[in-house]
Amino acid sequence: MKQNTAIITGASEGIGAALTKLLIQHEWKVIGLSRNLEKLKFLQNNICENKDSLSIYACDVQDFSKLKSIAKKNNPADLLFLNAGIYTPIDASKNNIENYKQQMLINYLGIVNSYEAFLPKMISKKKGQIIIMSSISGWIGLPKAAAYGPTKAALRSFAQSIRYDLNSKGIKVQVCSPGFVETPATSLNDFYMPGLMKVDNAAKMIHKYMYSNKFEFSFPLTFSIFMKIFSILPDKLSYLLIKKFIS
C-alpha cells in the first residue's frame, strides 16, 4: 500500500508540529520545512520511531530558490499544508512599517512562494490536496492584528481564487481559519482570547476536515459562529462587540 506524503511548511512548532506528529501517527510520511533546524531535529528525534517518516529541511519561505530545490528532490505531495507564518501584536498608533512588511513577506508571499515551488509536480500528477492556513482574523479586523490580519485575509482570497484553476486538475483546495490556538504566537497576546484551544486538538480538527468536502473550515465551532456573525453585522455594532469581548 502506497504511503501518503505531506509537505508541511512551518513544521517546527505550533500547529505545524502538532499536525506533523498526528500524520506520522496515521502512517504518513512528512516533509517538514522550517527556518529552525534545531526544532526540526528535536521533532524528528522525539516523535519518529522510524526516522524515514520525517524528512526535514531548514528553509525560509522567502527563499524561492531553496524551496524549488527541495521540491526537485522530493516526489509530489499528496498534501501540501501551507502553514508557515509569524505573528507580532502591534499598537497601530505607533510606527510599525517594518512589522507590516515582514508579516506580509512571510505570511502571504512566503505561502505563495511555497505554493509555486511545490505545485508543478502536483499538477503533473493530476492529484493532490492543498490546505492554506488563514485565520478568523482574515474575516474581520481584530485588536493588535493590523499587521497579521491583512495577510490572513489575503490568503483566504488567494485560496478562494486558485480553486477555480486547480479543482479541474484534480487538486483539492481548502482553507483553515481557526480561532485562538495555544501556540508560541498567541502567547504574545495580553488580552482575553475566547475559546482558546489546545494545539493538539486543533491538529485533530484539521485532520478531520481534510477528509471532508468543506472548502473553508474553522474551529472552535461556537467561537467561529460568533465571529462569522460579527463579520456580517453593521460595522459599528461589530466594532463595539469585539471591543467589549476581545480586548
Side-chain angles (χ1 to χ4, degrees):
M1 182 175 172
K2 177 186 172 294
Q3 185 178 33
N4 287 325
T5 299
I7 295 173
I8 297 181
T9 66
S12 64
E13 62 183 16
I15 290 175
L19 187 64
T20 295
K21 294 176 188 176
L22 188 59
L23 289 179
I24 288 173
Q25 288 170 8
H26 284 81
E27 300 184 346
W28 283 64
K29 175 179 172 57
V30 176
I31 297 165
L33 281 65
S34 170
R35 291 181 294 179
N36 194 318
L37 183 58
E38 290 308 309
K39 287 186 178 180
L40 285 174
K41 287 180 178 178
F42 179 84
L43 200 63
Q44 190 178 52
N45 291 331
N46 285 274
I47 71 167
C48 301
E49 293 182 10
N50 178 1
K51 294 294 174 63
D52 292 337
S53 296
L54 176 60
S55 299
I56 57 174
Y57 293 92
C59 182
D60 189 322
V61 290
Q62 297 177 84
D63 187 344
F64 185 54
S65 295
K66 181 72 177 289
L67 288 165
K68 288 197 297 182
S69 173
I70 294 169
K72 188 175 181 180
K73 293 174 184 175
N74 290 281
N75 292 327
D78 298 288
L79 169 66
L80 177 59
F81 187 67
L82 298 176
N83 168 69
I86 60 170
Y87 167 72
T88 304
I90 67 166
D91 179 344
S93 68
K94 299 177 180 178
N95 189 322
N96 294 285
I97 189 63
E98 293 306 319
N99 206 320
Y100 290 125
K101 288 179 180 178
Q102 185 185 39
Q103 293 199 51
M104 187 58 73
L105 286 171
I106 295 173
N107 295 0
Y108 177 64
L109 292 177
I111 294 297
V112 174
N113 282 341
S114 305
Y115 167 84
E116 287 279 314
F118 293 107
L119 180 67
K121 282 191 173 181
M122 297 180 79
I123 293 287
S124 66
K125 184 181 175 183
K126 296 182 180 178
K127 185 181 179 183
Q129 179 176 4
I130 298 172
I131 300 177
I132 294 175
M133 283 299 295
S134 182
S135 164
I136 57 160
S137 64
W139 298 350
I140 189 169
L142 296 178
K144 307 298 183 183
Y148 180 78
T151 68
K152 295 302 183 177
L155 286 174
R156 186 169 184 259
S157 178
F158 178 71
Q160 288 171 329
S161 296
I162 64 174
R163 60 182 168 162
Y164 293 104
D165 298 313
L166 298 190
N167 285 351
S168 62
K169 292 180 169 55
I171 299 174
K172 175 182 173 181
V173 178
Q174 291 178 293
V175 59
C176 176
S177 299
F180 297 111
V181 178
E182 276 190 6
T183 66
T186 54
S187 69
L188 300 173
N189 287 333
D190 60 1
F191 55 84
Y192 174 61
M193 293 176 281
L196 184 64
M197 193 174 197
K198 296 289 186 183
V199 71
D200 288 341
N201 291 335
K204 289 175 183 176
M205 294 300 292
I206 293 168
H207 185 253
K208 170 188 171 183
Y209 280 113
M210 64 185 268
Y211 295 104
S212 76
N213 291 321
K214 286 182 71 71
F215 166 69
E216 182 173 23
F217 55 92
S218 184
F219 47 80
L221 181 60
T222 301
F223 180 61
S224 299
I225 290 171
F226 275 113
M227 292 308 300
K228 182 62 75 173
I229 292 170
F230 287 177
S231 72
I232 60 177
L233 288 174
D235 180 72
K236 184 175 182 180
L237 180 57
S238 65
Y239 168 74
L240 291 173
L241 289 169
I242 289 171
K243 188 175 180 182
K244 180 177 180 179
F245 292 112
I246 316 176
S247 62

